[in-house]
Amino acid sequence: MKKYILTLSFMLLSWISFGQNIKYDDIIELVIQKENQKAYSLLFDYQQANPDFANTYFQLANISYYWAINSDPFTNLLQTEYYIRNTKLFYGLAKSKLNAQDNDARKNDNFYKTVPELASFNKIDNQIVINYIDKKIEKITEFDIKVHQTINYFQALIKSYNITKNLFNQIISENNNLSDIFIQPKASTITKTNQIILQYDSSLYFFQLYKNSISNYPIKNYNQTLIEKDINTYRLQGLTNTNFLFDTIYIWNYKQWAKTVQSKLYSDINHFRETIIKTNKEISDKQAELQKNSNYSNSNETYFLYQKIIFEIEKYDYNSIITSLFKYRTSKIDFLVQNKKLQNDTSNYTYSPISRAIEYYTLSLLKQKTDSLLIELQNKISNENYLKHKDFFDFNYNGFNGIKDFVSSEKINNQTIFTNSLNNFKFFIFRDIYFQTNKNLTTEYRTKKINLFIDNTNPSDAIADNYYTLSIANYSNEKYITGYYKTNSGTNPFVAKIVNGQVEWLKNISSGTRYSDFGTNITANNTACFVIIHSIHNGLHDNILIKLSSDGQQEFKMQINNTSMPRFLNFDEINSEVLLAFHGYEFNYYNETSDTLKIKRINTINKDINLDQEIILQGNLTNIFKIDSIYHIFANYTKISIGQQNLFNKKGNSAHIKFYTNGDFINATELKTKHNFWAIQAFKINNKTINVIGFTEKADIKNNSFIDLPALYYLIIKTNSNITFQNFN
């Protein structure tokens, strides 16, 4: 429009400048020289002064015709239409003036011969000029029709393509990523993808019509080639605009993108949802089977959640609540399978304390993993994630509130399972280490009953002519037991080897003239056993270490320069050393004892004492074991003094004491639990992990019943004393 105004302004200025003193020959000279802009302005000026002169209109029409067919209707259709209108207008006026003046063409033939088509005529009359004008009007009319037809196709192409692009933009503005489209498809998305396909087809259809039209009736040099580009990267491709005037037109293949989306919605996503339903059912069936079966077994199978399923879900629903759900429930199955192990069956007596400790350690790790995955699932419960799988959650978990209730109930259920299992562990500890549970476990020796369980009868209450077992060492299918035989005048220690429940041999051992002798501790390997004989006479205490071969022959005897009661005995076959600990004087050691805990290591070949460590301990020893080159000691205390370190706790707690095998003290650390902690056992799980169990308060294990004991406290600690797990949260 600005161009038209400038042109009109130029014509008006020309008119004002030249006024009415314009020579027509000068104007025609400009026409001949193709100075169209100047000529047009002067012709317009001349027409104002000579409105009846036909050639003026004829020349204006020719210039307008030239401008029309050389204009660019793609960039400025209004201008092209303006020139077409002027061409028709001026040709019409020229024809009208010629019809009114019979001899105009003959008189002014030199002005008409400026047109090449008329220059060949010797004589020109009005009719020749009129015929020429009619042909020009016909051509400009055809041009008008063809241009508008081509432009209409071109604009229809752009319109359809823009509609397609806008639909695409609407979809991606409503969905943050492709997975939103797939997992939570909106009805409008399906409708829009259908519209995209139709509109994109329309774009190609109109482009073909346009190509045919411009090929049959060329306009300037337009002859574009269309190239389709695939949309592969969401929110990156498909967003740039297209310039349809370039020789090569690049368009985004929205149709293929829409068809791919629909294909995945109708095939992949259906399969995806079927996979979710199928996997959930398999997990539910497996869990129901485990929970229904009350039998314990080591052959229960876990559920394997294939990584392929995870990949398939995450492909369309990244960081999905469904994968969190499946991972949690799979871990829960692992937890249930571990809980159903024979090691957790209180009617099964075949497993050693350490083997059970390892199984419960595994159970505790699975509990931690399961709890962690349940928290992850809980954190993903949102309305958005629920709506992605609304049908699934509505059918399987009673909707949005149902999945929240599921998480809450699972927390309680998992803790209940774990607590019940730990109560079983507590039961096993009493049965296997401290507490008689099956008084039918006996055998006979020369008509005398020999107990195959630890008998806690107070020696002062023991019945004469009976054997009482104080310590048992299990090795393979053999048992070595020690204790005392009650006589009318005192007690005599004994050692026996039990094979398949029968006494293979029994040795009565006397310390000499003393009458209160007890076999208090025993340990064994495949060739021999070591036993400690503790003697009490006239208030004096004494200890002797004895080694018996597997056939009962005495091979070693050594007086131990220590009067305290023996509390620990272990044999290191590799180094041929025994490790012993002595503390206090009471038989019921679980009453707090204030005395020096003495730890000795003896070479059984040369009888050298190569470790003699003392710890002032007001409390009692729990266990000692070696990891690499460090001894780990666990004890309950109200006071500990060793080296320059002192620990005090009026209420009592448990401590972890470490020193090197050469006797150098490392440190003593209180186990910082959430409650007071009274340990009853500690197990080496591996070279980095220790399991410590006990109670939330002091307890007399030997005198209290299982029911009366406090709640079990279960710890997993590292060798640096850091607690990594405790069952009280």
Side-chain angles (χ1 to χ4, degrees):
M1 181 60 70
K2 288 182 180 179
K3 189 171 182 180
Y4 307 149
I5 295 171
L6 287 171
T7 302
L8 182 58
S9 299
F10 181 80
M11 292 189 295
L12 291 173
L13 286 170
S14 298
W15 181 35
I16 294 169
S17 301
F18 291 100
Q20 299 184 11
N21 299 316
I22 302 172
K23 293 181 179 180
Y24 198 70
D25 287 337
D26 294 337
I27 298 174
I28 293 302
E29 186 62 30
L30 290 173
V31 171
I32 294 171
Q33 293 174 9
K34 303 296 184 185
E35 295 286 344
N36 289 337
Q37 190 67 45
K38 292 180 180 180
Y40 190 93
S41 177
L42 293 173
L43 286 167
F44 202 88
D45 186 19
Y46 191 86
Q47 180 268 336
Q48 298 293 319
N50 303 277
D52 295 325
F53 188 52
N55 191 262
T56 307
Y57 300 108
F58 179 81
Q59 297 297 345
L60 285 169
N62 285 336
I63 294 173
S64 295
Y65 180 88
Y66 175 82
W67 282 346
I69 62 174
N70 286 285
S71 65
D72 190 341
F74 293 98
T75 59
N76 200 333
L77 180 60
L78 290 176
Q79 187 184 63
T80 302
E81 290 174 337
Y82 174 78
Y83 293 148
I84 291 172
R85 286 196 303 272
N86 281 358
T87 301
K88 292 179 179 180
L89 171 65
F90 291 134
Y91 275 137
L93 289 171
K95 185 176 179 180
S96 174
K97 298 300 181 181
L98 286 169
N99 286 330
Q101 302 173 22
D102 293 339
N103 297 318
D104 182 84
R106 190 172 296 171
K107 288 188 297 183
N108 299 296
D109 63 343
N110 60 322
F111 295 149
Y112 288 103
K113 285 184 178 182
T114 56
V115 178
E117 292 93 326
L118 301 178
S120 60
F121 289 96
N122 290 327
K123 293 182 179 182
I124 296 177
D125 58 25
N126 281 9
Q127 190 58 49
I128 291 174
V129 176
I130 289 172
N131 290 342
Y132 169 83
I133 290 173
D134 287 342
K135 288 180 181 179
K136 285 295 186 178
I137 291 174
E138 182 181 345
K139 285 186 177 182
I140 198 65
T141 301
E142 180 186 19
F143 177 78
D144 187 9
I145 293 170
K146 294 297 185 180
V147 163
H148 278 93
Q149 181 186 66
T150 302
I151 294 300
N152 286 340
Y153 291 148
F154 185 73
Q155 291 178 338
L157 154 67
I158 296 173
K159 180 180 179 182
S160 292
Y161 183 78
N162 284 339
I163 291 173
T164 307
K165 183 182 69 175
N166 290 336
L167 288 167
F168 172 79
N169 286 337
Q170 288 173 26
I171 291 174
I172 66 171
S173 66
E174 294 168 354
N175 301 274
N176 291 324
N177 47 55
L178 275 171
S179 62
D180 285 353
I181 298 175
F182 296 140
I183 306 304
Q184 195 176 354
K186 304 175 181 67
S188 62
T189 300
I190 305 300
T191 301
K192 287 172 183 174
T193 53
N194 287 330
Q195 291 174 340
I196 284 173
I197 293 170
L198 291 173
Q199 290 295 335
Y200 190 82
D201 282 341
S202 296
S203 299
L204 298 183
Y205 171 73
F206 286 121
F207 179 75
Q208 192 57 50
L209 291 177
Y210 161 73
K211 284 288 288 184
N212 293 338
S213 179
I214 205 168
S215 182
N216 294 330
Y217 197 90
I219 299 175
K220 295 184 78 63
N221 294 320
Y222 287 104
N223 187 26
Q224 298 99 316
T225 299
L226 193 69
I227 295 179
E228 299 175 281
K229 296 194 298 183
D230 291 337
I231 301 171
N232 297 313
T233 306
Y234 191 76
R235 282 187 176 272
L236 179 62
Q237 297 172 319
L239 301 176
T240 55
N241 294 322
T242 298
N243 193 325
F244 288 89
L245 297 178
F246 286 175
D247 292 340
T248 302
I249 303 172
Y250 293 97
I251 63 171
W252 294 107
N253 195 338
Y254 297 114
K255 175 183 178 180
Q256 186 58 48
W257 180 86
K259 290 181 71 173
T260 300
V261 168
Q262 289 188 348
S263 173
K264 289 183 178 180
L265 282 172
Y266 297 137
S267 58
D268 291 9
I269 300 303
N270 282 343
H271 175 70
F272 159 82
R273 296 195 182 280
E274 288 170 359
T275 298
I276 289 174
I277 293 170
K278 178 184 177 184
T279 303
N280 186 72
K281 184 178 185 304
E282 289 175 352
I283 292 173
S284 296
D285 290 346
K286 181 64 181 177
Q287 185 170 336
E289 174 190 339
L290 285 169
Q291 291 176 325
K292 181 180 179 182
N293 186 1
S294 60
N295 296 326
Y296 290 86
S297 172
N298 287 347
S299 61
N300 287 325
E301 295 182 356
T302 60
Y303 179 82
F304 185 74
L305 182 61
Y306 289 99
Q307 195 64 36
K308 179 181 177 183
I309 293 174
I310 300 297
F311 287 154
E312 185 174 344
I313 295 171
E314 293 289 321
K315 177 181 177 182
Y316 295 109
D317 186 16
Y318 178 70
N319 203 21
S320 174
I321 186 175
I322 296 295
T323 56
S324 292
L325 174 66
F326 287 170
K327 286 178 181 179
Y328 163 71
R329 296 197 63 191
T330 301
S331 181
K332 174 65 175 282
I333 288 174
D334 294 341
F335 179 60
L336 291 173
V337 167
Q338 184 68 24
N339 185 63
K340 290 289 185 179
K341 294 275 189 180
L342 287 171
Q343 287 86 340
N344 195 31
D345 181 4
T346 55
S347 65
N348 187 299
Y349 298 165
T350 59
Y351 294 94
S352 67
I354 184 60
S355 67
R356 293 192 192 278
I358 291 172
E359 291 300 323
Y360 282 102
Y361 167 68
T362 303
L363 183 67
S364 68
L365 293 183
L366 288 171
K367 173 65 163 53
Q368 291 181 81
K369 177 183 177 182
T370 303
D371 287 346
S372 174
L373 290 172
L374 188 61
I375 291 172
E376 179 183 311
L377 172 61
Q378 183 180 29
N379 291 338
K380 287 186 181 178
I381 297 177
S382 66
N383 191 59
E384 179 184 358
N385 285 334
Y386 159 70
L387 290 175
K388 288 181 182 180
H389 305 276
K390 183 177 185 301
D391 291 343
F392 171 80
F393 284 120
D394 287 352
F395 182 79
N396 294 284
Y397 295 91
N398 296 320
F400 181 70
N401 290 329
I403 189 66
K404 292 171 68 176
D405 293 340
F406 168 79
V407 169
S408 298
S409 63
E410 284 295 292
K411 287 181 182 178
I412 297 171
N413 180 254
N414 293 341
Q415 187 58 46
T416 300
I417 292 171
F418 190 60
T419 299
N420 290 340
S421 294
L422 290 184
N423 283 334
N424 288 349
F425 195 14
K426 180 169 68 171
F427 173 83
F428 294 135
I429 293 299
F430 290 135
R431 187 194 68 195
D432 294 335
I433 301 177
Y434 306 112
F435 197 67
Q436 68 268 31
T437 58
N438 189 347
K439 293 187 177 181
N440 294 322
L441 291 176
T442 62
T443 188
E444 286 190 357
Y445 175 73
R446 296 179 181 176
T447 71
K448 298 294 184 181
K449 184 172 73 172
I450 304 293
N451 295 334
L452 302 182
F453 58 87
I454 296 173
D455 192 328
N456 290 321
T457 301
N458 193 304
S460 61
D461 297 327
I463 300 173
D465 208 24
N466 281 287
Y467 287 94
Y468 292 88
T469 300
L470 296 181
S471 182
I472 301 174
N474 293 292
Y475 189 86
S476 188
N477 65 336
E478 303 173 349
K479 287 181 184 291
Y480 289 85
I481 64 175
T482 189
Y484 62 93
Y485 176 74
K486 176 69 175 180
T487 67
N488 290 325
S489 57
T491 59
N492 288 324
F494 77 92
V495 179
K497 180 180 181 180
I498 313 298
V499 180
N500 295 324
Q502 302 297 317
V503 177
E504 183 172 293
W505 52 258
L506 185 147
K507 299 292 182 178
N508 288 300
I509 302 173
S510 175
S511 62
T513 59
R514 296 173 180 173
Y515 297 101
S516 294
D517 295 347
F518 307 89
T520 56
N521 302 76
I522 193 167
T523 186
N525 59 23
N526 63 333
T527 61
C529 67
F530 287 87
V531 62
I532 299 178
I533 306 299
H534 185 75
S535 300
I536 305 173
H537 184 65
N538 293 329
L540 300 175
H541 293 251
D542 198 8
N543 290 291
I544 299 172
L545 176 65
I546 295 175
K547 177 184 179 183
L548 300 177
S549 67
S550 60
D551 59 1
Q553 299 303 310
Q554 182 172 304
E555 296 183 344
F556 175 96
K557 183 176 182 181
M558 179 179 178
Q559 189 84 21
I560 306 298
N561 185 23
N562 193 289
T563 61
S564 304
M565 285 287 289
R567 307 299 182 184
F568 178 85
L569 172 64
N570 184 61
F571 178 60
D572 179 353
E573 294 182 61
I574 296 175
N575 298 306
S576 298
E577 295 176 335
V578 291
L579 188 70
L580 308 96
F582 304 89
H583 189 226
Y585 292 91
E586 294 188 25
F587 264 90
N588 187 353
Y589 180 56
Y590 299 96
N591 292 331
E592 183 179 90
T593 300
S594 181
D595 195 5
T596 300
L597 173 65
K598 298 180 180 181
I599 301 172
K600 297 179 181 293
R601 186 176 65 232
I602 299 173
N603 186 301
T604 59
I605 296 176
N606 56 26
K607 297 186 179 181
D608 285 344
I609 298 177
N610 50 34
L611 176 69
D612 196 354
Q613 178 69 265
E614 293 187 354
I615 302 170
I616 296 174
L617 171 65
Q618 186 170 327
N620 46 61
L621 176 68
T622 300
N623 199 8
I624 305 174
F625 47 79
K626 184 173 72 171
I627 297 178
D628 296 329
S629 60
I630 296 175
Y631 284 119
H632 295 260
I633 304 169
F634 290 87
N636 301 303
Y637 77 97
T638 53
K639 176 183 177 182
I640 290 176
S641 293
I642 179 172
Q644 300 298 315
Q645 193 166 1
N646 297 291
L647 297 180
F648 298 95
N649 191 312
K650 291 182 179 180
K651 294 182 178 180
N653 205 356
S654 293
H656 180 197
I657 305 166
K658 291 180 289 184
F659 59 83
Y660 291 108
T661 51
N662 65 4
D664 290 343
F665 172 67
I666 300 174
N667 60 25
T669 306
E670 180 181 3
L671 296 181
K672 298 291 185 179
T673 54
K674 295 182 179 180
H675 300 276
N676 286 334
F677 179 48
W678 194 85
I680 58 172
Q681 189 54 281
F683 301 96
K684 169 189 170 182
I685 301 298
N686 53 49
N687 279 0
K688 295 181 179 180
T689 309
I690 300 167
N691 177 209
V692 188
I693 61 171
F695 304 116
T696 53
E697 57 185 81
K698 296 178 183 179
D700 186 343
I701 295 178
K702 288 198 172 183
N703 292 332
N704 284 9
S705 70
F706 177 82
I707 297 174
D708 295 335
L709 291 169
L712 186 73
Y713 215 141
Y714 179 92
L715 305 182
I716 295 174
I717 71 170
K718 295 299 182 183
T719 53
N720 61 4
S721 305
N722 287 343
I723 299 172
T724 60
F725 178 80
Q726 53 186 311
N727 61 308
F728 282 93
N729 297 318

